[in-house]
Amino acid sequence: MICPLKGVPEKAIASYITEQNISLLLMGAYGHSRIHHLVIGSTTAQMLRSSNIPVLLFR
């Protein structure tokens, strides 16, 4: 199910996971340039760091 969430992606996804009692997060991961990653970071990396549930990544 695709859900249109608004706000900061990491916070919106974390909130949705809690509200819907989700037990597994599936995420697609794709690369940015190294500078982009260093300056901005990535939603994927942040979700891996902060998630309390298993995360399955697809590349």
Side-chain angles (χ1 to χ4, degrees), residues 15-29:
S15 250
Y16 187 78
I17 287 169
T18 302
E19 291 168 6
Q20 300 297 317
N21 196 28
I22 294 173
S23 59
L24 175 65
L25 177 61
L26 303 174
M27 291 186 74

Side-chain angles (χ1 to χ4, degrees), residues 22-50:
I22 294 173
S23 59
L24 175 65
L25 177 61
L26 303 174
M27 291 186 74
Y30 61 93
H32 289 290
S33 71
R34 289 183 184 186
I35 293 175
H36 180 289
H37 184 72
L38 287 172
V39 173
I40 299 174
S42 75
T43 300
T44 305
Q46 182 59 34
M47 290 309 301
L48 286 171
R49 279 189 227 106
S50 64

